[in-house]
Amino acid sequence: MTETQNPLDVLIVGAGFAGVYGVHKFRSMGFNVLAVEAGENVGGTWYWNRYPGLRCDVDSLEYCFGFSEELQRDWTWTERYARQEEIERYINYAADRLDVRKDIRFNARVASTAFDEASALWTVTLENGDSYQSRFIVMATGCLTVPKTPDIAGIGDFKGELFHSVRWPRQSPDLSGKNVAVIGTGSTGVQMIPLLAQQARNLVVVQRTPAYCVPARNGPWPEERVEYWRQNFSQLRDMAKNSRAGVLHEYGILPLHAIRPEDREADLERRWLKGGPNVTYAFNDVVTNKAANEVVAEFFHRKIRSAVTDPATAEKLIPSGFPIATKRMCVGTDYYETYNRDNVQLIDLRTEKLEQIEADGIRTTDGFYPVDVIILATGYDAMTGALLAIDIQGRDGHRLREDWSHGPESYIGMGISGYPNMFVVTGPGSPSVFSNVVVSIEHDIEWIADCLDYMREHGKRTIEADPAAQDRWMDHVDEVAGRTLLNEAASWYRGANVAGKPQRFMPYVGGVNTYRDTCRQIAANGYEGFNIDGGSDARGEPAIAQAADT
Ligand code: NAP
């Protein structure tokens, strides 16, 4: 690591996609940057997660950095949906090529950050007591970082092996010949269940909410497709940036009522065969119009019934009680078909109550299931978990844990009133998890970089979201979500999966394209909605050193 100058211009927390790009971007502008990362290497969620079957369900040609022609040209993705191992290798490749590791401190978990008004500096303290001072901090802590461990009676009494998907051992355990239970059927459960069923003697799946799962139809990329992307990457990336979700889905342009019933069915079938989430974009009103939503949901119900041979099991797998696509769509391979195997049992917690976990198995109201291994695929304390794990103290005694006790509030997801010179990457109130997150990460890092440049050019000391602008933005975030069916599901998007977590729809669902335009306009208007103060810090130095001499 290069020697750290104190104070830093920018300290970044986290070295996933956002931290790696942040170090490169800010450093290339002449800023004095350091990232601190809890893991021993880069990768973020792709470093911590490594359970069997883990892939990204955004096309690999799109789930990658877009800012560098060179990085893009010299890397070849092998499959439509890249495995964890390939994505982790890619982030390491990017980190090597950008030579960012020298400005990242690994094995360094942040305990607290505190803003000092007199000096306008943040002090960032690690769990081991080391601390840094920095003029700006960038929270690149990720949306899906902190595992959620369920509070199930007796879980502490279990004498077998217990794993959480988010903390999967680097040396994957050998499950062959064992009786295994998986709790959770979200994206993680859906990916691991078919593979675990092949390894385990018996697999018991504990399902609280059945998943809508679309077939991935994963496979190697045809060479011509890879070449096409290589030749046209910038134009394709620009199209993605200007789309609703930052990814080149096949977005239907017509509402349900404008399409004849026989054409709807044919199009849904074509999209189903194509694989991936395209099927949920068949009409442009799937998440805003109940009737359109039900047409797609019923299509899925028929698919589940035709994939699963035992009708009773099929009924258990059919989701109910929430509109399709209001919980994150799952993408899987042979997910429903796995329940046709003799060694797979399904516990449906809608009809059978989980009483407790015992030393050697799971007891429900219907019986006892002996197991040697329990795997928790129970998800994350999403979007706010990693930020609130740090004791963040802003101006005037503001503490983020208190300020967000009724739910997260931000201005465009990146700024928070009361926390000057602190930026959040893909924070609540931005499209983040409702988009191709790498596209959103790049946007945020570049917007923050432009803002830092503005602060430097104008010799400014602090920038902070104005409370009224923040309120207006949050009203807009709520209003846009309120126009959809998204609040009708108890999803992690709303914090509903964590007991006691305040429920508020967290991502901005007005579209990546609209969001980018708004952010561009805010910057063009001299960072409208932010309060910008001062010309120099307490010691008479410009807020950020001029880059001219670097
Ligand atoms: P998740 O979507 O939150 O799913 C967790 C599952 O565990 C749900 O089925 C949940 O049921 C269940 N559960 C939680 N607590 C439980 C309890 N006490 N008893 C029984 N069941 C319980 O988490 P995830 O599957 O890890 O996925 C989270 C997100 O990560 C995804 O939505 C996606 O954005 C991302 N991800 C992406 C990929 C990919 O790219 N393919 C893969 C994995 C994850 P309820 O629904 O009833 O709460």
Side-chain angles (χ1 to χ4, degrees):
M1 220 176 78
T2 45
E3 202 178 319
T4 307
Q5 291 169 32
N6 231 353
L8 296 151
D9 290 328
V10 190
L11 185 141
I12 302 172
V13 185
F17 271 101
V20 166
Y21 183 35
V23 169
H24 167 71
K25 179 77 187 169
F26 305 144
R27 195 180 59 188
S28 69
M29 297 164 72
F31 293 123
N32 169 20
V33 186
L34 176 75
V36 289
E37 161 59 49
E40 24 181 74
N41 204 345
V42 295
T45 202
W46 298 106
Y47 165 86
W48 294 104
N49 273 279
R50 46 189 69 243
Y51 60 79
L54 174 55
R55 292 175 184 278
C56 177
D57 57 19
V58 176
D59 279 9
S60 55
L61 294 166
E62 300 195 54
Y63 193 83
C64 52
F65 286 127
F67 65 87
S68 156
E69 275 291 332
E70 266 176 42
L71 273 186
Q72 189 274 325
R73 196 188 51 220
D74 296 347
W75 179 267
T76 304
W77 292 105
T78 59
E79 290 177 281
R80 177 175 180 184
Y81 295 121
R83 276 180 298 133
Q84 176 273 339
E85 174 275 322
E86 193 171 19
I87 300 172
E88 193 185 18
R89 205 154 31 81
Y90 171 79
I91 304 179
N92 275 277
Y93 150 82
D96 289 341
R97 288 288 287 264
L98 302 170
D99 195 19
V100 290
R101 282 177 218 284
K102 61 186 181 194
D103 293 313
I104 302 175
R105 176 168 171 185
F106 294 104
N107 300 305
R109 188 177 286 280
V110 175
S112 66
T113 67
F115 183 72
D116 175 62
E117 298 205 33
S119 62
L121 291 176
W122 282 93
T123 299
V124 176
T125 306
L126 306 182
E127 279 185 351
N128 73 355
D130 289 359
S131 67
Y132 296 95
Q133 289 197 310
S134 184
R135 300 178 194 283
F136 288 86
I137 58 173
V138 174
M139 308 306 284
T141 41
C143 296
L144 298 166
T145 311
V146 176
K148 193 210 116 185
T149 303
D151 186 15
I152 298 175
I155 196 164
D157 301 332
F158 184 60
K159 292 283 182 280
E161 294 173 285
L162 182 72
F163 301 105
H164 197 296
S165 59
V166 183
R167 293 285 179 269
W168 198 255
R170 295 190 88 75
Q171 182 65 43
S172 201
D174 181 9
L175 302 173
S176 46
K178 296 192 176 161
N179 294 323
V180 178
V182 178
I183 302 180
T185 51
S187 298
T188 297
V190 156
Q191 285 187 330
M192 62 165 61
I193 285 164
L195 295 180
L196 297 177
Q198 288 167 24
Q199 284 180 40
R201 177 141 63 104
N202 284 302
L203 181 70
V204 176
V205 177
V206 181
Q207 168 190 273
R208 187 163 74 181
T209 304
Y212 279 111
C213 176
V214 62
R217 313 226 185 265
N218 185 43
W221 281 121
E223 251 174 62
E224 58 278 14
R225 177 98 174 144
V226 173
E227 204 39 44
Y228 173 74
W229 266 81
R230 196 162 269 144
Q231 297 304 329
N232 299 286
F233 186 80
S234 0
Q235 296 95 300
L236 292 163
R237 186 71 164 200
D238 279 347
M239 281 165 65
K241 287 176 182 172
N242 291 307
S243 69
R244 256 157 69 190
V247 56
L248 296 179
H249 288 314
E250 196 188 339
Y251 301 103
I253 51 169
L254 295 175
L256 174 83
H257 72 78
I259 307 171
R260 292 183 313 171
E262 58 274 30
D263 292 344
R264 294 171 192 164
E265 185 67 19
D267 192 41
L268 286 168
E269 188 63 33
R270 181 186 64 77
R271 286 166 181 265
W272 179 267
L273 290 174
K274 198 172 167 188
N278 284 301
V279 67
T280 56
Y281 292 93
F283 325 122
N284 70 3
D285 54 353
V286 173
V287 291
T288 51
N289 170 5
K290 273 215 160 115
N293 193 281
E294 276 163 21
V295 168
V296 180
E298 277 162 20
F299 176 81
F300 271 73
H301 299 172
R302 274 181 270 133
K303 288 293 182 194
I304 298 169
R305 289 190 179 106
S306 72
V308 180
T309 35
D310 172 37
T313 306
E315 291 315 305
K316 288 183 182 179
L317 287 164
I318 291 184
S320 57
F322 64 98
I324 189 168
T326 55
K327 284 186 159 226
R328 169 72 149 69
M329 279 302 297
C330 300
V331 180
T333 298
D334 293 336
Y335 176 64
Y336 296 121
E337 291 78 0
T338 294
Y339 293 92
N340 295 332
R341 295 175 65 106
D342 290 339
N343 69 335
V344 177
Q345 277 173 293
L346 178 61
I347 299 178
D348 178 11
L349 296 183
R350 290 175 303 180
T351 54
E352 186 174 350
K353 192 166 171 291
L354 201 169
E355 289 191 324
Q356 61 183 16
I357 293 178
E358 298 182 1
D360 52 357
I362 296 176
R363 184 166 303 281
T364 73
T365 40
D366 287 15
F368 181 73
Y369 301 82
V371 292
D372 311 309
V373 180
I374 296 179
I375 298 170
L376 303 174
T378 45
Y380 301 83
D381 182 355
M383 300 201 74
T384 56
L387 282 169
L388 297 181
I390 299 169
D391 181 15
I392 300 177
Q393 302 163 45
R395 193 175 39 75
D396 295 336
H398 280 275
R399 270 200 142 87
L400 198 64
R401 287 175 186 161
E402 285 158 21
D403 285 355
W404 281 12
S405 59
H406 301 293
E409 307 224 313
S410 76
Y411 180 45
I412 58 170
M414 289 188 272
I416 305 173
S417 176
Y419 301 83
N421 294 357
M422 177 176 107
F423 297 99
V424 182
V425 181
T426 61
S430 77
S432 60
V433 290
F434 233 78
S435 68
N436 175 352
V437 81
V438 186
V439 166
S440 289
I441 284 170
E442 281 191 356
H443 167 269
D444 290 5
I445 292 291
E446 287 163 12
W447 190 94
I448 294 164
D450 287 346
C451 180
L452 295 178
D453 195 40
Y454 177 95
M455 297 290 287
R456 176 168 63 187
E457 288 301 308
H458 293 80
K460 296 295 184 189
R461 188 167 185 254
T462 59
I463 179 165
E464 177 186 348
D466 179 76
Q470 178 167 296
D471 286 348
R472 282 195 300 277
W473 178 254
M474 291 314 297
D475 287 347
H476 176 56
V477 170
D478 290 343
E479 186 256 324
V480 175
R483 281 189 237 144
T484 71
L485 307 170
L486 289 162
N487 277 315
E488 293 190 19
S491 67
W492 61 257
Y493 294 133
R494 302 179 58 218
N497 64 328
V498 177
K501 186 165 172 170
Q503 293 199 27
R504 179 169 206 173
F505 199 86
M506 295 185 281
Y508 174 66
V509 292
V512 165
N513 41 4
T514 314
Y515 174 77
R516 294 174 75 94
D517 284 348
T518 305
C519 293
R520 196 177 299 123
Q521 205 52 52
I522 286 170
N525 293 345
Y527 296 90
E528 189 178 8
F530 286 91
N531 294 321
I532 300 181
D533 270 354
S536 61
D537 74 11
R539 294 156 306 153
E541 291 168 4
I544 306 184
Q546 294 290 327
D549 56 349
T550 55

